[in-house]
Amino acid sequence: MSNSAQIGVTGLAVMGRNLARNFARNGYTVALHNRTAARTHALVADFGHEGDFVATETAKEFVEALERPRRLMIMVKAGEPTDAVIQEFAPLLEPGDMIIDGGNAHFEDTRRRERDLRGQGIHFVGTGVSGGEEGALNGPSIMPGGSKESYASLGPMLEKISAKAPDGSPCVTHCGPDGAGHFVKMVHNGIEYADMQLIGEAYQLLRDVAGYSPAQIADIFRTWNTGRLDSYLIEITAEVLSHVDAATGKPFVDVVQDRAEQKGTGRWTVQIALDLGVPVSGIAEAVFARSLSGHADLRAASRELVGPRAKPLGESEAAAFADRVEQALYASKIVSYTQGFHEISAGSDQYDWDIDLGAVSAIWRGGCIIRAAFLDRIRAAYDARPDLPSLLSDETFAQEIAAAQDDWREVLVAATRQGVPAPGFSAALAYYDALRADRLPAALTQGQRDFFGAHTYRRVDREGSFHTLWGGDRSEVEA
Ligand code: NBP
């Protein structure tokens, strides 16, 4: 076996197969391997004409097919299969070789694997890949972590196969060492959850409060897609809403069970945010909204609970309401991204990753599910001020929220009055109001904590920690 392949892909299910084809279509010789060899041979039979593939059956053949330093990409099911594959291949590799894990790994697993392999001189490059099946084939957004050295070797190849942003730049950047890439991918998915939840709430409000049909709402989304909300998710929302079920002639959205599923990265984003102490309430509400939707029995048992049922507005008021919903959606979206970028920044500080937030927003402009014109604005905000404390501190975003907020509040008043749940819009507004508040009830919380647990508090007028003798004469002592 000649060692001529510039990259090898092991794990040739839908993602691996398409990434291997993407590398080959871009002129690279690609070694192929899969636990079940039939997949390898099927790829060569079906797509061998697309480029140079080297089909292998054993781990030894696979490794020997690669030029040195070797670049070996794993695209297997995340979790134990990834560890099994690493254990199979690592003993066959040499110092300087690279293992690239493009699966949806938890960043802590990536940190562990990177640490374990570093001793052997192997670069472990945990890499987020976004864009699903289609992106893998035609250009995903790619979020590699790992060493700088590995990026010097891999970067040009990843740039070639990646999606290109509207300005032509490749949607890939070295996010930072060890687990940085998988962390960024995790938050990307969390933001995707929040975006989808906010769009869902806008749809429900347009349907129940404004009284529009799915087809009319599809047209509204199409219009929004020509403005500042221009994005892949808004575009596909219009497609889904205008689709009619062939079997019943009803809107497709009305024949689908309203129980949303999730794979886990949104949940990880929230779990890690809790550990880091970062309020990502928009993402959390999105994860919880999917969980709530899945509790069919609980929902059935609660359906008779008393509350208002929405009464659709008249035609003349509906259009004005739709404009307000657009404002609420846009403002809530700014808050979601503010929270997501806060989490990335906190992760970067915690793990010393030095993640460039502007570069991250730039590589999400193409290939991935949350691609949107809006990301250009985020990049501009971080480029102008890399130490921006929060996206809400950017003058342009702050002005846009200021302009949107009356409508945002009105939409929430209507939602509350008419009994239409809008947890994402509402959490976003609560976050905004909490940030700008002069005083928060946290002072009272501290008082309660000191009362029942002598947890102490700090005063506004003096340095130090204090405790009040609640059970005694209520005098204050310095703790
Ligand atoms: P799957 O996640 O369905 O995994 C199937 C692949 O894993 C097959 O090649 C299978 O080999 C291999 N595999 C398994 Br399962 N257990 C193994 C083991 N113990 N040893 C060796 N190989 C094993 O494939 P996918 O949907 O293509 O996704 C691949 C990775 O990319 C996953 O980590 C996924 O989370 C991630 N990802 C997926 C998407 C997406 O949209 N699908 C997007 C972004 C990232 P076999 O053929 O022998 O069974």
Side-chain angles (χ1 to χ4, degrees), residues 12-15 34-36 39 75-78 81 103-104 129 132:
L12 300 173
V14 54
M15 289 297 287
N34 193 68
R35 176 178 64 177
T36 312
R39 278 201 207 266
M75 287 308 294
V76 302
K77 202 176 176 64
N104 267 339
V129 178

Side-chain angles (χ1 to χ4, degrees), residues 125-139:
V125 186
T127 301
V129 178
S130 178
E133 194 177 342
E134 210 270 332
L137 184 62
N138 296 317

Side-chain angles (χ1 to χ4, degrees), residues 177-338:
D178 59 78
H182 276 138
F183 188 94
V184 167
K185 171 70 186 341
M186 173 190 79
V187 177
H188 163 283
N189 286 23
I191 291 175
E192 175 186 315
Y193 273 57
D195 256 345
M196 291 170 70
Q197 174 64 23
L198 296 174
I199 289 172
E201 290 176 20
Y203 153 73
Q204 199 70 50
L205 287 160
L206 291 173
R207 186 115 193 230
D208 293 349
V209 178
Y212 288 123
S213 68
Q216 288 172 313
I217 300 171
D219 284 339
I220 292 172
F221 275 97
R222 279 195 191 98
T223 310
W224 288 355
N225 201 39
T226 60
R228 59 191 181 171
L229 283 168
D230 173 4
S231 61
Y232 172 72
L233 279 171
I234 295 282
E235 179 191 328
I236 66 163
T237 301
E239 292 301 312
V240 174
L241 287 175
S242 57
H243 183 55
V244 173
D245 175 51
T248 60
K250 292 182 180 169
F252 166 79
V253 73
D254 287 347
V255 300
V256 176
Q257 286 196 6
D258 60 346
R259 291 187 224 167
E261 293 174 8
Q262 50 186 316
K263 279 195 179 164
T265 35
R267 194 164 51 229
W268 288 349
T269 312
V270 179
Q271 285 168 340
I272 302 304
L274 289 173
D275 292 341
L276 291 169
V278 177
V280 291
S281 47
I283 300 170
E285 288 296 352
V287 173
F288 286 138
R290 289 198 195 187
S291 308
L292 189 150
S293 76
H295 283 282
D297 292 346
L298 180 62
R299 291 174 60 197
S302 312
R303 210 145 271 150
E304 299 308 318
L305 290 174
V306 174
R309 297 275 169 211
K311 282 190 218 74
L313 297 167
E315 214 177 300
S316 57
E317 288 162 303
F321 183 73
D323 289 343
R324 289 201 184 104
V325 172
E326 193 269 347
Q327 297 276 10
L329 175 55
Y330 186 68
S332 303
K333 185 179 167 85
I334 295 175
V335 169
S336 280
Y337 281 71
T338 301

Side-chain angles (χ1 to χ4, degrees), residues 10 65 100 115 119 233 270 306 331 373 417 442 453-455 459:
T10 182
I100 306 118
R115 208 169 38 238
L233 279 171
V270 179
V306 174
R417 284 225 176 96
H455 290 299
R459 296 183 57 98

